[in-house]
Amino acid sequence: MIDVEFTGGEDVSPEQAEEARRRFEALDDYAGRPITGGRLTLRRTQGRKAQRPFAADAHVLFEGRVLAAHASGRGPLEAADEAIERLRRQLRRVVDADVALRNDPRVVEAGIEALEHDARFRPEAGLKPPEEREIIRRFPYVDVPLPTLDAVADLLDLDVEFYLFTHSRTGEDVVVYRRDDERIGLLHPPGSVLADETDVVVPKESRYPEPISLSAAREEMDLVNHRFLYFLDAEDGRGKVIYLRHDGDYGLVEPRR
């Protein structure tokens, strides 16, 4: 059975808390393989007259992966059900993908190729030489501050490689991303208190002790084939991400001013 850590606010009755725990534990049966741990938090986030005043934050550890979900509801059980359903969909995607990979002969071929190529190789890097790459700017998916768990849930639901957001705890522009070991990382400015957020993510400081210019970030991307590069822009002090797009140009994700 899944080892569940549950937290409920004073607006969640003991009966509701026990029922939410029971439903959350049922994820263990659904996965088909052991879930090693999980946490479910229910709380009231808005006034009693709000349409969906309750929030549920949940995550599970499944075969080395962290799956997380956030949801709201008219009552604590509705919020819990929404979060549990999102986790159920993520578990299904993971299980189905693993089965498909085991049965796909191309996986064997890919494994052979991996011995012959650097794991960081990106085919799109050859589409354009560095000097011909343009910078295509875009804004983050959301422009409201988020806690870490909400950002992780968005990262997984959107199925993207990285997710730039403004952290509600510190007001800093930070990034959650998929690490090579299938855990979720959190990139933050040097000296940030977010270094203590180790329960769901693996925090890591920016590689640069001081802000750098966009041109300097681009120069490093030209020299080293990073998946993406998080940095604080010397021009405005905001956290940004430059990355290599599939069309061979650079993308730049920057917060709205």
Side-chain angles (χ1 to χ4, degrees), residues 6 10 26-27 34-35 37 66 81 89 96 114 120 133 141 147 158-159 162 191 201 205 222 237 240 251-252 254:
F6 176 82
E10 60 182 12
L27 283 170
I35 296 175
V66 177
D81 283 344
R89 291 198 300 268
D96 287 348
R120 295 171 297 174
R133 295 172 187 164
Y141 289 101
L158 292 167
D159 195 22
F162 65 86
V201 295
E205 289 189 349
D222 288 346
K240 302 179 182 181
L252 179 69
E254 55 185 346

Side-chain angles (χ1 to χ4, degrees), residues 57-61 65-70 86-87 90 93 142 146-165 167 174-178 182-187 197 199-203:
D57 293 311
H59 78 266
V60 296
L61 303 177
R65 300 175 172 94
V66 177
L67 307 181
H70 170 80
R86 292 182 183 183
L87 286 177
Q90 292 177 37
R93 286 199 299 267
V142 297
L146 297 174
T148 299
L149 197 59
D150 286 19
V152 171
D154 285 350
L155 174 84
L156 298 173
D157 283 346
L158 292 167
D159 195 22
V160 292
E161 193 167 302
F162 65 86
Y163 188 85
L164 176 72
F165 68 104
H167 205 286
V174 298
V175 171
V176 287
Y177 67 103
R178 298 172 184 269
E182 297 187 337
R183 302 180 69 187
I184 303 299
L186 171 67
L187 295 172
E197 298 210 355
D199 53 344
V200 175
V201 295
V202 180

Side-chain angles (χ1 to χ4, degrees), residues 7-58:
T7 303
E10 60 182 12
D11 292 305
V12 181
S13 70
E15 293 77 17
Q16 291 171 325
E18 182 58 33
E19 179 61 18
R21 176 191 289 274
R22 186 189 65 79
R23 297 180 188 183
F24 190 57
E25 289 176 343
L27 283 170
D28 204 23
D29 298 330
Y30 182 83
R33 301 197 291 274
I35 296 175
T36 55
R39 175 188 292 176
L40 175 63
T41 300
L42 297 176
R43 66 188 190 280
R44 179 183 289 276
T45 60
Q46 303 177 50
R48 296 182 181 277
K49 294 183 178 180
Q51 289 187 336
R52 301 175 69 86
F54 285 89
D57 293 311

Side-chain angles (χ1 to χ4, degrees), residues 167-219:
H167 205 286
S168 59
R169 181 181 172 194
T170 64
E172 297 165 329
D173 303 311
V174 298
V175 171
V176 287
Y177 67 103
R178 298 172 184 269
R179 290 163 43 103
D180 291 336
D181 61 5
E182 297 187 337
R183 302 180 69 187
I184 303 299
L186 171 67
L187 295 172
H188 58 77
S192 173
V193 298
L194 297 177
D196 67 3
E197 298 210 355
T198 58
D199 53 344
V200 175
V201 295
V202 180
K204 183 179 180 181
E205 289 189 349
S206 167
R207 63 192 296 127
Y208 305 105
E210 301 289 341
I212 64 171
S213 65
L214 174 58
S215 60
R218 173 174 179 150
E219 286 176 6

Side-chain angles (χ1 to χ4, degrees), residues 135-144 158 160 162-166 173-175 236 238-241 243 245 250-257:
I135 293 182
I136 311 300
R137 297 171 181 262
R138 73 169 178 82
F139 297 125
Y141 289 101
V142 297
D143 56 4
V144 297
L158 292 167
V160 292
F162 65 86
Y163 188 85
L164 176 72
F165 68 104
T166 301
D173 303 311
V174 298
V175 171
D236 57 13
R238 301 300 301 269
K240 302 179 182 181
V241 176
Y243 64 101
R245 293 160 44 102
Y250 288 129
L252 179 69
V253 186
E254 55 185 346
R256 297 181 186 272
R257 295 176 184 251

